[in-house]
Amino acid sequence: MTKTRNKLKIMGMVLTLVMMVSLLGMFSLTASAEEGDVASVTVGETTTNYTSLDDALIAAQNNPGSTLTLLQDIDRGSEELMIGSVPDSTFTIDLNGCTLTSTTATGTVFIQTSVNLTVVDSKGTGGIISNNNAFYIDWNNTTVNIKGVTITVTSTLDYDACVFINNSSATVNIIDSTILSERVGVYGGGTLNISGDTRITATSSNMAAIYRTGGALTITGGSITGGVYVAGGTADIIGGTITEPRDYYNAVDVVNNAQVTISGG
């Protein structure tokens, strides 16, 4: 009887030790956020916290498939969030209910190298706010996926946009997002795809919600208030709704021999 009890005690101690080791392993994989931490980067099952957003961004670009998560609201002042240190990187930025703000003259998120970037807001209560361009995409073969994100631009300059596409080989996919601009919602060329419950609104008296200078535009869903101006390239409107509250513009204006096909919406 005594031997059986001893065996049970030993087995219990071993089980407790195994559980403690397992818990320690879990804690070592995910660092607890401290007051000065502004972002974390998750690579596989390992999460590392950073007190510098720029350091977190470099880490995310150097680890394909990683996710950079904001841990608090960040005001960049006149400094953009520059994505350009690692060519051909693939990663995700999760706003995590936080707000990223700047007053930079270029873009709050300035993409200056080829990248496959996905921006999401897992909590749905954050956003990107700028008084110039929110996204400025200025490089070849870049893909930017904007999913479930609210972007607001308060600029009074005609061509400032929530998303400014300054490269003909860039691809931008806007899905289930809210775009609010006092000037232009999305401006430029390249490939632009609008889908899901995306809502793009521009309140300017002389600009459009979507202003295309070339490339290929495809709209399969969502609502656009402020019209679509196609000054180059092609536009394929398959779904969604487009309204123009100003009586001196059409819902879709086409100039410079641009090609527009409307098959739905």
Side-chain angles (χ1 to χ4, degrees):
M1 192 72 171
T2 303
K3 289 183 178 179
T4 302
R5 288 179 178 175
N6 288 338
K7 286 182 179 179
L8 290 173
K9 286 181 179 180
I10 293 171
M11 290 176 64
M13 292 172 64
V14 170
L15 181 59
T16 301
L17 181 60
V18 170
M19 292 176 65
M20 290 177 64
V21 171
S22 298
L23 287 172
L24 286 172
M26 290 174 60
F27 287 127
S28 65
L29 290 174
T30 304
S32 299
E34 297 183 0
E35 185 176 350
D37 294 333
V38 299
S40 67
V41 175
T42 300
V43 182
E45 296 182 354
T46 302
T47 298
T48 305
N49 295 331
Y50 293 86
T51 57
S52 164
L53 181 57
D54 294 316
D55 290 345
L57 182 61
I58 291 172
Q61 291 179 87
N62 276 302
N63 289 278
S66 63
T67 298
L68 186 161
T69 302
L70 297 189
L71 301 178
Q72 59 179 267
D73 294 341
I74 296 176
D75 187 347
R76 300 283 291 182
S78 60
E79 184 179 4
E80 61 271 294
L81 184 64
M82 181 74 72
I83 298 175
S85 62
V86 183
D88 303 319
S89 58
T90 299
F91 67 102
T92 297
I93 295 176
D94 182 359
L95 298 178
N96 189 36
C98 300
T99 300
L100 178 63
T101 306
S102 86
T103 57
T104 175
T106 50
T108 300
V109 180
F110 188 8
I111 299 175
Q112 206 175 28
T113 190
S114 56
V115 66
N116 190 321
L117 172 66
T118 299
V119 182
V120 301
D121 183 5
S122 58
K123 292 186 177 178
T125 55
I128 298 175
I129 301 174
S130 176
N131 69 345
N132 289 289
N133 300 299
F135 283 86
Y136 191 87
I137 302 163
D138 193 29
W139 208 261
N140 300 325
N141 304 316
T142 288
T143 298
V144 179
N145 306 299
I146 301 171
K147 299 181 179 181
V149 176
T150 297
I151 305 172
T152 305
V153 165
T154 59
S155 174
T156 57
L157 300 177
D158 278 349
Y159 295 100
D160 279 349
C162 291
V163 181
F164 193 114
I165 308 170
N166 195 39
N167 192 283
S168 61
S169 67
T171 297
V172 176
N173 303 305
I174 303 178
I175 307 156
D176 297 329
S177 294
T178 300
I179 308 292
L180 305 169
S181 177
E182 294 184 10
R183 307 311 295 170
V184 185
V186 185
Y187 177 90
T191 299
L192 174 62
N193 300 308
I194 309 293
S195 63
D197 190 27
T198 293
R199 302 180 183 185
I200 302 176
T201 302
T203 58
S204 169
S205 62
N206 64 333
M207 299 299 290
I210 298 178
Y211 191 121
R212 298 292 290 165
T213 59
L217 165 66
T218 302
I219 301 173
T220 59
S223 61
I224 299 166
T225 302
V228 176
Y229 188 83
V230 187
T234 64
D236 191 4
I237 302 171
I238 302 170
T241 60
I242 303 173
T243 58
E244 175 52 83
R246 302 165 298 186
D247 57 11
Y248 45 89
Y249 287 117
N250 299 309
V252 179
D253 280 307
V254 185
V255 299
N256 300 336
N257 298 316
Q259 302 296 314
V260 174
T261 301
I262 301 176
S263 58

